[in-house]
Amino acid sequence: MNAFQDKAALVTGASRGLGRAIALRLGRGGALVAVHYARDADGARRTVETIEKEGGTAFAVRAELGVPQGVSSLFTDVTKRLRERTGEPGLDILVNNAGVKVAGAPEEATAEDFDRLIAVNARAPFLATVHALTTLRDGGRVINISSGLTRLRDPASLVYAMSKGALEQLTRHLAPALGARGITINTVLPGATRTGQPFWDDPDLAAQITAMSPLRRAGEPEDVADVVAFLASEQGRWVTGSAIDASGGALAG
């Protein structure tokens, strides 16, 4: 349970859903967790409070990642807060989880939709990971949260899948540069996971989605968080440059 003792982690988009589950999992393992949020201050506060209630340490930090200087502002704040708490500004674990989605017919997609999804889902993780070249300590971890929709055909999710697919290329091409310092970088591809989406309230649709997995159940945020925790741990030291299927087999074909 102390796999991340004396480690500092930043999880983007950690006020709810997968990001919250990942932050809680790292906190339980002993990491000091920077809980990033863009708008949901109450959700971020609850994440921090839960980590602290369970005996961990955390703090919330706000930044709008889809705007110019958003990532730079985030890292300025995080490093300042880390220095105040630990005397050191360095990170050990970066989880690029924050994302936005717009769904609809391809012909309904706008240039504004495209620019926003690319800015938050692709550009921000790229810039955050570039920051990791100077912020992450040797032996650190970068984990990008993509989507199983990069493996499926869904015209309504075209732009979202394009933006998330960029994370796999970021992972593949940056692995050699980070590997020279013992830093691993991987992408996790969750399948359909119960993170509060309204479609889970439709029994027929929920049954269809559940049937996609050989395990015959829906994914829970904790399922994905445990995969992230493995990659972030010492046990994940020999995995880098990879895309990890965390869909319960739904993406296996």
Side-chain angles (χ1 to χ4, degrees):
M1 293 298 294
N2 294 318
F4 309 115
Q5 196 68 42
D6 300 322
K7 303 291 186 183
L10 167 60
V11 183
T12 64
S15 62
R16 60 184 178 84
L18 287 180
R20 172 182 166 83
I22 291 166
L24 294 179
R25 180 64 180 82
L26 296 178
R28 292 187 191 110
L32 167 57
V33 184
V35 175
H36 161 262
Y37 71 99
R39 295 181 177 84
D40 189 359
D42 287 341
R45 175 182 52 78
R46 288 191 292 270
T47 300
V48 170
E49 288 177 349
T50 301
I51 291 173
E52 292 177 339
K53 183 178 179 180
E54 294 178 348
T57 55
F59 60 87
V61 58
R62 182 187 181 281
E64 186 68 50
L65 300 184
V67 301
Q69 307 304 316
V71 172
S72 176
S73 172
L74 170 64
F75 273 82
T76 296
D77 200 357
V78 169
T79 54
K80 176 184 176 183
R81 302 281 292 278
L82 288 175
R83 192 184 296 275
E84 291 172 352
R85 285 173 172 258
T86 69
E88 299 286 342
L91 280 170
D92 300 284
I93 302 164
L94 169 63
V95 182
N96 288 310
N97 167 77
V100 294
K101 183 177 182 180
V102 174
E107 61 270 21
E108 297 173 354
T110 66
E112 291 76 17
D113 291 337
F114 184 89
D115 289 346
R116 179 169 177 252
L117 266 65
I118 292 297
V120 177
N121 297 351
R123 187 181 69 190
F126 163 73
L127 293 174
T129 307
V130 168
H131 272 280
L133 293 170
T134 57
T135 304
L136 272 177
R137 297 186 180 96
D138 290 355
R141 303 284 187 264
V142 178
I143 300 156
N144 298 311
I145 307 300
S146 181
S147 169
L149 286 168
T150 63
R151 295 292 192 272
L152 303 174
R153 290 188 289 268
D154 178 18
S157 300
L158 170 62
V159 179
Y160 176 75
M162 289 176 66
S163 67
K164 283 293 191 178
L167 296 177
E168 293 182 48
Q169 300 308 314
L170 172 66
T171 294
R172 285 169 55 86
H173 293 283
L174 200 53
L178 294 175
R181 294 174 49 205
I183 298 171
T184 67
I185 179 170
N186 293 285
T187 299
V188 174
L189 284 72
T193 308
R194 290 188 184 276
T195 55
Q197 304 96 324
F199 61 75
W200 288 111
D201 296 330
D202 182 331
D204 292 336
L205 182 55
Q208 293 176 28
I209 295 171
T210 299
M212 294 175 65
S213 168
L215 300 175
R216 293 299 187 268
R217 68 171 178 84
E220 301 294 341
E222 293 75 17
D223 295 323
V224 179
D226 281 343
V227 174
V228 172
F230 164 73
L231 293 171
S233 72
E234 175 63 17
Q235 285 69 39
R237 64 190 178 276
W238 199 234
V239 183
T240 195
S242 296
I244 308 299
D245 179 341
S247 70
L251 303 180

